[in-house]
Amino acid sequence: MSRSLSMRGSMRSRRDLPPPEKTIERLESMVAGGNFYEAQQMYKSTSARYITAQKYSEALDILQSGALVQLKHGQVTCGGELAVLFVDTLITGELAYSEQNFDRIRKIYEAFPRITVPHFLGDDYDDEGHQLSEAISAAKVRAESCSSFLKAAIRWSAEFGTSRNGSPELHVMLAEYIYSESPETDMTKVSSHFVHGNDPKKFASMLVNFMGKCYPGEDDTAIARGVLMYLSQGNLRDANLLMDEMKEQLKSANSDFPKTDLIQFIKYLLPTLERDAYPLFRTLRQKYKTSTDRDPVFQELLDEIAAKFYNIQRQNPLEGLFSEMFKI
């Protein structure tokens, strides 16, 4: 009998959890006062009680507020942890991908600090580059924290949204943040997220920017990788859009595509795929093999393109480097 009464009392206390506004106000004051760790533990424990009571909306309010206020005060690790818990709560509550939920994720994303890492030592850095090293370490923390949050959000959107690969908008966010904030930018990852996104114009702008600061020989490889990734997904439209937009932006900057065999191959490949012309496709691969061998993944991408456009079966479908590229 006492156990039954205890259970009923527990259920009643869960139902009687107060509105979260006062809790949010109190915890925000704690953060403003510099009590970051103590507030963090309370954000986690308080939101957990609402989640246990299946009051997911209230838990989300608490976690979003916590992520925003911690990030506002430069507490990237704390804010990122609460941001991931926000997504975990969406999953626990089986809450659908919606404009409202996307907007909440976007607001958290926009709160992550964006501090450009210097690419050279200036007067503010000592001879041993200690301050530069600290700046790079901080940038890695920011990039990893925001990436973990957005990757979790993409997985949630894939499970509870309509896109099998996750929200295109979230992919674009992640691509932008990796490119702009990572001290060691992984262009393959950046491109794969843009390809799963919905903004080839923004992708083109990023590639044009990359051309202005990359090492010789990296520019045409990055352009070709982006185009071939689109084509490996059967997306000829956005592959053409990417090239057309880059052409316009480069023209405005009084510049042009790199004049290399690899770019020439891409320019021939795109119109070839608009026709039932597998023999020509195969001839192009053979003629430009020296150029496409520069990146180990290009041959796998071209195999997948042959499968998508000409129904030529891959020997090892979705294995090796190709499958690794498109992992979240």
Side-chain angles (χ1 to χ4, degrees):
M1 178 67 72
S2 61
R3 182 180 178 184
S4 176
L5 288 172
S6 175
M7 289 178 64
R8 286 201 297 270
S10 175
M11 292 174 63
R12 189 181 304 112
S13 65
R14 291 175 183 176
R15 288 196 301 269
D16 295 341
L17 282 171
E21 287 79 13
K22 288 187 177 180
T23 299
I24 290 172
E25 184 178 348
R26 183 174 73 254
L27 294 180
E28 287 183 349
S29 296
M30 288 178 63
V31 174
N35 298 314
F36 306 118
Y37 179 77
E38 183 181 355
Q40 182 78 353
Q41 299 312 304
M42 293 190 67
Y43 275 119
K44 291 162 67 175
S45 61
T46 304
S47 62
R49 289 199 293 272
Y50 284 91
I51 292 168
T52 300
Q54 298 184 357
K55 292 192 171 187
Y56 302 114
S57 178
E58 290 86 344
L60 290 170
D61 288 343
I62 293 168
L63 291 168
Q64 181 182 7
S65 170
L68 292 175
V69 72
Q70 292 278 30
L71 291 170
K72 177 183 176 182
H73 285 82
Q75 302 301 302
V76 175
T77 301
C78 288
E81 184 180 9
L82 295 176
V84 172
L85 286 174
F86 178 91
V87 178
D88 289 345
T89 303
L90 291 172
I91 295 171
T92 300
E94 299 183 354
L95 300 175
Y97 180 84
S98 64
E99 282 300 317
Q100 180 183 9
N101 287 329
F102 167 76
D103 190 57
R104 299 183 78 166
I105 287 172
R106 180 184 55 78
K107 287 178 180 176
I108 296 173
Y109 162 72
E110 290 175 347
F112 274 88
R114 287 161 175 76
I115 306 172
T116 302
V117 177
H119 295 286
F120 58 88
L121 292 176
D123 295 336
D124 293 336
Y125 295 95
D126 58 38
D127 292 338
E128 296 181 4
H130 287 156
Q131 293 185 45
L132 179 62
S133 177
E134 291 177 1
I136 291 173
S137 296
K140 287 181 178 179
V141 170
R142 291 195 304 273
E144 290 171 3
S145 184
C146 187
S147 294
S148 295
F149 162 57
L150 288 178
K151 286 176 182 178
I154 288 169
R155 288 191 290 268
W156 159 72
S157 68
E159 183 175 358
F160 296 99
T162 58
S163 177
R164 179 172 59 90
N165 294 315
S167 162
E169 292 84 1
L170 292 175
H171 277 290
V172 171
M173 285 181 186
L174 181 52
E176 286 183 302
Y177 202 87
I178 293 173
Y179 180 72
S180 63
E181 298 299 321
S182 296
E184 298 174 356
T185 302
D186 185 337
M187 288 300 294
T188 299
K189 285 293 184 186
V190 170
S191 296
S192 69
H193 286 296
F194 267 121
V195 167
H196 282 137
N198 58 356
D199 199 335
K201 288 187 176 182
K202 192 169 285 186
F203 189 11
S205 297
M206 185 275 294
L207 286 172
V208 170
N209 178 272
F210 180 71
M211 287 174 61
K213 62 183 183 182
C214 67
Y215 292 109
E218 289 185 330
D219 46 4
D220 62 342
T221 303
I223 295 166
R225 186 189 297 115
V227 172
L228 293 177
M229 282 183 170
Y230 272 130
L231 296 174
S232 73
Q233 303 297 298
N235 190 348
L236 181 59
R237 181 198 66 184
D238 284 349
N240 277 304
L241 277 173
L242 179 67
M243 290 293 285
D244 291 343
E245 184 63 26
M246 285 196 69
K247 181 179 179 180
E248 289 299 316
Q249 293 189 28
L250 289 168
K251 182 179 178 181
S252 298
N254 294 317
S255 187
D256 198 359
F257 284 104
K259 299 184 187 306
T260 66
D261 286 345
L262 184 56
I263 293 299
Q264 195 64 48
F265 169 70
I266 293 298
K267 288 182 176 180
Y268 285 141
L269 178 63
L270 289 169
T272 298
L273 295 176
E274 294 176 357
R275 303 159 50 195
D276 185 12
Y278 178 67
L280 178 56
F281 171 82
R282 186 174 57 196
T283 299
L284 284 173
R285 287 192 66 173
Q286 292 170 348
K287 180 178 179 180
Y288 290 95
K289 189 174 186 303
T290 301
S291 296
T292 56
D293 278 346
R294 283 170 46 192
D295 190 318
V297 81
F298 283 179
Q299 295 304 326
E300 290 193 58
L301 287 169
L302 287 166
D303 285 345
E304 187 64 19
I305 290 166
K308 282 285 194 300
F309 287 87
Y310 299 115
N311 200 30
I312 305 299
Q313 188 63 40
R314 284 171 49 88
Q315 291 183 349
N316 297 302
L318 300 180
E319 292 184 0
L321 292 171
F322 177 80
S323 60
E324 289 297 318
M325 277 192 314
F326 289 102
K327 285 185 178 178
I328 297 175

